[in-house]
Amino acid sequence: FDPLHYLGTHCYSFPKTGPHRLRFLLESLKDLRETLKKKGSTLVVRKGKPEDVVLDLITQLGSVSAVAFHEEVRVI
């Protein structure tokens, strides 16, 4: 969870992620984790700045050969 997604927008400070969207996201992640568990895997969920969280995960895992990501387009 990127803390920036829970702050107000650049224009008018409307919340980017309100309570309904957050509930949907949490329920979706719970369902995904349960599905992955049934297949013998798991889901890693972290809170923080993505660049810090990904670096920490790579350091913990130790044998990462590639990382794929996307960048959100921000309209100012």
Side-chain angles (χ1 to χ4, degrees):
F1 290 93
D2 184 347
L4 289 179
H5 290 179
Y6 303 92
L7 301 175
T9 59
H10 296 290
C11 300
Y12 309 110
S13 290
F14 290 123
K16 287 183 174 183
T17 304
H20 300 294
R21 178 180 277 185
L22 180 59
R23 184 176 334 123
F24 174 78
L25 177 59
L26 292 172
E27 290 171 357
S28 299
L29 290 173
K30 181 180 176 184
D31 183 64
L32 177 58
R33 177 176 276 149
E34 290 171 3
T35 300
L36 289 170
K37 265 181 127 174
K38 290 176 187 174
K39 297 184 180 289
S41 190
T42 191
L43 177 66
V44 175
V45 178
R46 297 285 189 265
K47 175 185 172 192
K49 292 171 52 178
E51 56 272 23
D52 297 334
V53 171
V54 171
L55 180 59
D56 289 344
L57 285 172
I58 291 170
T59 302
Q60 288 174 13
L61 295 171
S63 62
V64 176
S65 60
V67 175
F69 66 93
H70 79 280
E71 183 177 356
E72 180 180 346
V73 176
R74 296 184 184 187
V75 179
I76 297 176

